[in-house]
Amino acid sequence: MLPNWILEESVRRALAEDVGTGDLTTNSLVPVGARAEAVIYSKGAGVLAGLPVAARVFHMLDARIKVEEHISEGDLLKPGSIIARVEGPARGVLTGERTALNFLQRLSGIATATRQLVESIAGTRARLVDTRKTTPGLRALEKYAVRTGGGYNHRIGLYDGILIKDNHIKVAGGITRAISQARAAVPYIVKIEIEVESLEQLEEALAAGADLIMLDNMPPPLLRKAVALTGGRVPLEASGGITAGRIREVAETGVDFISVGAITHSAPALDISMDVGEIKKSFRESG
Amino acid sequence: MLPNWILEESVRRALAEDVGTGDLTTNSLVPVGARAEAVIYSKGAGVLAGLPVAARVFHMLDARIKVEEHISEGDLLKPGSIIARVEGPARGVLTGERTALNFLQRLSGIATATRQLVESIAGTRARLVDTRKTTPGLRALEKYAVRTGGGYNHRIGLYDGILIKDNHIKVAGGITRAISQARAAVPYIVKIEIEVESLEQLEEALAAGADLIMLDNMPPPLLRKAVALTGGRVPLEASGGITAGRIREVAETGVDFISVGAITHSAPALDISMDVGEIKKSFRESG
Amino acid sequence: MLPNWILEESVRRALAEDVGTGDLTTNSLVPVGARAEAVIYSKGAGVLAGLPVAARVFHMLDARIKVEEHISEGDLLKPGSIIARVEGPARGVLTGERTALNFLQRLSGIATATRQLVESIAGTRARLVDTRKTTPGLRALEKYAVRTGGGYNHRIGLYDGILIKDNHIKVAGGITRAISQARAAVPYIVKIEIEVESLEQLEEALAAGADLIMLDNMPPPLLRKAVALTGGRVPLEASGGITAGRIREVAETGVDFISVGAITHSAPALDISMDVGEIKKSFRESG
Amino acid sequence: MLPNWILEESVRRALAEDVGTGDLTTNSLVPVGARAEAVIYSKGAGVLAGLPVAARVFHMLDARIKVEEHISEGDLLKPGSIIARVEGPARGVLTGERTALNFLQRLSGIATATRQLVESIAGTRARLVDTRKTTPGLRALEKYAVRTGGGYNHRIGLYDGILIKDNHIKVAGGITRAISQARAAVPYIVKIEIEVESLEQLEEALAAGADLIMLDNMPPPLLRKAVALTGGRVPLEASGGITAGRIREVAETGVDFISVGAITHSAPALDISMDVGEIKKSFRESG
Amino acid sequence: MLPNWILEESVRRALAEDVGTGDLTTNSLVPVGARAEAVIYSKGAGVLAGLPVAARVFHMLDARIKVEEHISEGDLLKPGSIIARVEGPARGVLTGERTALNFLQRLSGIATATRQLVESIAGTRARLVDTRKTTPGLRALEKYAVRTGGGYNHRIGLYDGILIKDNHIKVAGGITRAISQARAAVPYIVKIEIEVESLEQLEEALAAGADLIMLDNMPPPLLRKAVALTGGRVPLEASGGITAGRIREVAETGVDFISVGAITHSAPALDISMDVGEIKKSFRESG
Amino acid sequence: MLPNWILEESVRRALAEDVGTGDLTTNSLVPVGARAEAVIYSKGAGVLAGLPVAARVFHMLDARIKVEEHISEGDLLKPGSIIARVEGPARGVLTGERTALNFLQRLSGIATATRQLVESIAGTRARLVDTRKTTPGLRALEKYAVRTGGGYNHRIGLYDGILIKDNHIKVAGGITRAISQARAAVPYIVKIEIEVESLEQLEEALAAGADLIMLDNMPPPLLRKAVALTGGRVPLEASGGITAGRIREVAETGVDFISVGAITHSAPALDISMDVGEIKKSFRESG
């Protein structure tokens, strides 16, 4: 699901910053020809995301390392779940361990946080969407982790969707003018979403032809009125300060989307480890 | 404290992924000549880190934007604290907002988590150090945030320090041989740290001349014995599963360093916002 | 309108390929301290696009070169129109000439071809949009030239819009299933456009809730029926083999958009030249 | 004929700008394990150029895609000519289609325009050469297309040949001084070409020892006199405003080279398409 | 021993600067299908370093070229020693020759210069270490060549070790304060080395707890006193103006390390050549 | 004389490899606001080359550092000659020292070695030219140093000149066929040089119309015969094993060019140092 070159560039950057000019410890102690077998497993409970990235880490270090998947992306992990088996030249296996785990832990952390909220709103019409509050440099990967966790992606960046916020409204001179100016500049190819803070603004946005409306920081009763007022004409997105404790209540108001920044910016890492078995010192291979 | 080109490359990558081919909303609604004034402020309590990165975001979008610092890196933030004032061409101010905040929120989150633990161990001889469990691609920035929060950096990557772990020990054929092999390969320029799991291993490591010893997952009573046994000959680092609740107890055992991965891999973002004041549509500037 | 780093990277690449390790002729014959004044002017008639790119070429060679704009982006050029005056160190002015003109000629060529079609359909409801048939590596710039010429941009790439073509429909098992699968995967954030080849397909697409419908290679009478059948429910885009000679007829069928690949893939360059006046050999400047 | 890394970098850039963070349509509708077979064919008549570039597009997306060449670079295409057969994982085939065709269409367009002029001057001693009027960022590929079309390359950039133009002559203080200064700076390794506008200038250039002389914007009768005057001492290049209609007349004057910018800057794309056959949904492959 | 991506990036840059847009000579004269066999051999005596880099040069040009190693890295070369046999498509073999040899000659030159000094001090306790006086852009490779020649690496750069020089001492206000400030900033993870110029400074540095001490430009009798005074408490490094003629005398003073910049900044290239045997013009291969 | 972006990229790479994530020593000991004044001076005798590169090193670290040139590129240096004065924020001055000197020492070493040979052949018609035997990644800079030392550049790489060597001759089937094949492929734009080893080959090359002829490894008496035989028809280049001791004798044979690889591949660094004066701890500057 992730383009080849995004994977490659992300992994190369991560390895360059960790390994730099070489792994002093492994190069000092592990013979070139030694082989290792290792198991990546979960110490916590959650959702797996990032295994293809971790596999790429090992492959970029040494194309001969094999990563055999035991569990698929998006599957549930319990403490002790075996995720994958890694086998090949021991230097690459040991040198890649931390970088591979750093990707896995972060992406699985996001998928796990996403899945928890998705389950909280199960049975409602609401879908969980992410925001642009991602770690700088990792957006494509983090948005992939959200999808893997069962969430949906909002726009990727400023270039693939229009979201008119209060400041834009003020500059444009009101909601109606903002929508019509945006429509004139970027006709019908891109959806125009606008942020509203009251039912009056919602009515104006509906009348002005917004494609999507974000209800900013509205309490559930107000959200419910907004849903009623809109009557299904356009999808509604609830946004702002929505915590795990409140999300079900928000979902039950009938909104179509709930966006939560915390699933990317504050998801704790999922605890994932690698266990290296016996390392065999074999003879140096030719080649 | 961060080299120029690391700042520049990190910011360029972050902007490229967020702004891409252009900010559709701002370019549709905000005139080229308009000017904006904005205030970056904290909504939570914590430690500021990342303001020079945020400033660079705005400068890379438009060199005419001014960022005036109200609080210094490492200072305490309370809800409502004004961090900086941003002023200049409105397009750049609005387009840069999210990327600037993403850096600030993550780095301040790390500084805040660091400070909390640093304060927990105040008065002991222990110092808090970070690990290599950082977000892929952001290590230099995250290690800077740890320093800003009052912590210390462990090695940056695999290239600037030796840390002999259990797998390396097994390959080398024991602690003594591992240390002497590493010493032979990388004589005295780099410190050699080794991970031990028992007092027996500790004794062997001391005898073998380790420069630093990591006590892996030892409970406080054992740590205390390790400190006594070592008698100040080399610094000791406690590591493994040390939570906020347990860190004081660990620090009081007399160890020199405590390393905690969670300050980088699981620190929640600090809540920081930008408030844009009136946007003035001025005439288009030449140039 | 173009992000800073896209400009910078495009210009750097263009200069690197043209100037390489240095301009042998200019470095041999023009003293370091000489200054030149030059005029960029049009030899053909058309629409100006790309002046900020050309200016960046000179600035990247020598930050002291001044480029004074005489005509604005999007303005009409007649044979002889003065576009800009370039003044500064002679080496940079001469070395940058060809690269600056290559950008200007291509982008103005696209803006000119766009404007011609835009004028052909003036007075109808149809708007001209571009396609992904752009020169590899220049998409952002070429799409900017289309906007400058009065056209509109369709999606930028495969990542910011959904366009379901016949192959996708076949794999999905029909129009209805294709649209509902796409909707399920990428809910309401991105518009879903689908390509249809008959009125039956159009009806199915309308019923299935497409946001935009592309009418592929339909002759004007059929387009007219499609417009009638749709009744304004969603915007319609005519596409496929639409030439300058036929575009008015297509526009008069009532479609909302007409996409034409030729404005980017086959626009001839607009003939633009630079005339260098007297070059003054001054003394070498310090610095 | 094109170095590996130029191909790779050009293709990577093109894919990055088109596919970005992922092909939303294909990823939504085409199963991971599906396989497709497609045929690339010509809809117009012309000369094939760029197939290795197109093949690289598919290989960079998915190394398992096979591209089987049916016609060789430089061969003639008629409407309906099968160029290549593409077979492999369906996602890669569909995602790469447009980028592969964009390269093929542009490069074949250039080869076709080149071949037309080459044929116009067949039987004369004149050879067609290109200029530096290429699309920024694509020079190596476009010069390759010129060679493929039967033309010859002039210098690649400012770094691999000396071409003294009127401005350089003015700064140097005349043709003789310009040539001798250039000769002194860059002795005999690089040929020195100079642009002349009259027979007097031609005589001076010959006397001063130019290696090549460009006859700028001379009408055929004057070209003929220049050829006679030169008497084969150095090759002569006719340049400036030479159209398809006039090129034969120019070639018959006896000049050695005719340079034409339009073969690169204004060649229309050759119409080339891809036809995807049945897509088979197979089971997901391990991998 | 060298990370994959460092090899790859160094080789790519070297090939790009040498081959650029293509090898005009080889492409003109050697058929695509021709195959060549060549032998890389030494014309001088020395130590081999850089064969994996040379092999990568050929592989990056054409993955089908085989490089068969006859002598291992670090082995001695005599005039006439066969280093490797290169076999494969003739274009790649000829195009890569110079770049491959440039790497081999420089790295073997450094390994050779290193080995000579290492042998000069054989039997003493001193070890030869390198400095940061390396060719810009080649540090990782040059430090690898030093190791291959039997030397040891000092710190790689400014980021992985502390070396307090006279200017730092002056700013800090003396040796004791400099060491304690450095210790406070970067506690025990990194060794702190300090440069001293007299026995008084040495005593102060020892008292202040330096981990390593560099004795700057001290004549052998003074070095001997420094060794006695230190009594093995910390390792001592002699540095400054140490030539081949003097190094043995320095080593015999009992210092632990001797650093010599000349092994990297002034090592002459080792004379290594490639001899191409018969080139067979075979038929063009498919693929 | 060096394009901006080559300077910038070379310096950025050099700084990144030396400074990495930060200068631990300077950042620990030198306050942010401190200012330093330093003098760059020569400890050996030679020719200055690379000062603009060194200046760029400091500017890239801190744009506020001023580098005031005392001696110009290409001027003679004696032991003690002051080259430049560097003044500005102390951190940047100290952090940049080594990288700036590494460039200066290597480039001045090459210019010095070049000048020595240039002087050895003064009064003859021969000119000294360089080869492609340069340090990988530094070709443009090293060729600049050769020019600065009074030498001339041969072709920059494989792409800007044709040099037919023995292997090419064998593949082509003889000198005459090789020259005519090359001429057909790359008509008159690029000079064709061919390597000959005997007077018979020389005669054939002259008859076949070579533009330049390289006399490979010929002893002076044979060179003299070659010069006589050629009679000034084309320039002749002596090449192969020409040392400082033999170069005058070679030059006196009447050849036009003498190429020597050692001026780039084996030039020892020129000894250049930086002396830092008092460092003033001022107050932290705003900004």
Side-chain angles (χ1 to χ4, degrees), chain B residues 170-192:
Chain B
K170 277 188 270 175
V171 181
I175 285 175
T176 307
R177 292 179 62 175
I179 290 174
S180 80
Q181 275 180 44
R183 187 74 77 205
V186 188
Y188 289 92
I189 309 298
V190 171
K191 291 206 173 177
I192 293 178

Side-chain angles (χ1 to χ4, degrees), chain C residues 31-35 279-285:
Chain C
V32 165
R35 298 187 71 85
I279 295 178
K280 286 173 208 137
K281 299 190 208 175
S282 52
F283 290 100
R284 175 160 189 178
E285 296 156 63

Side-chain angles (χ1 to χ4, degrees), chain C residues 147-169:
Chain C
R147 294 195 300 272
T148 305
Y152 290 88
N153 293 331
H154 204 288
R155 59 178 175 169
I156 318 173
L158 294 167
Y159 54 90
D160 71 322
I162 287 193
L163 174 48
I164 303 174
K165 300 200 170 185
D166 54 350
N167 296 311
H168 300 111
I169 294 172

Side-chain angles (χ1 to χ4, degrees), chain F residues 106-154:
Chain F
R106 172 145 198 88
L107 299 179
S108 298
I110 289 173
T112 301
T114 301
R115 178 70 58 89
Q116 286 162 353
L117 295 192
V118 165
E119 285 172 0
S120 300
I121 61 175
T124 70
R125 69 174 288 113
R127 290 180 180 186
L128 182 71
V129 297
D130 56 22
T131 65
R132 286 166 46 239
K133 298 181 179 177
T134 56
T135 311
L138 284 188
R139 183 161 298 166
L141 268 64
E142 294 192 348
K143 291 212 160 223
Y144 161 81
V146 168
R147 294 195 301 273
T148 304
Y152 291 89
N153 294 331
H154 204 288

Side-chain angles (χ1 to χ4, degrees), chain E residues 133-191:
Chain E
K133 297 181 178 179
T134 57
T135 311
L138 287 187
R139 182 162 297 166
L141 269 64
E142 294 191 348
K143 291 210 159 223
Y144 161 80
V146 167
R147 293 195 301 272
T148 304
Y152 291 88
N153 294 331
H154 204 288
R155 59 178 176 169
I156 318 173
L158 295 167
Y159 55 89
D160 70 323
I162 287 193
L163 174 47
I164 303 174
K165 300 201 170 185
D166 55 350
N167 296 310
H168 300 112
I169 295 172
K170 276 189 272 177
V171 181
I175 285 175
T176 307
R177 292 178 62 175
I179 291 174
S180 79
Q181 275 180 44
R183 188 74 77 205
V186 189
Y188 290 91
I189 310 298
V190 171
K191 289 205 173 177

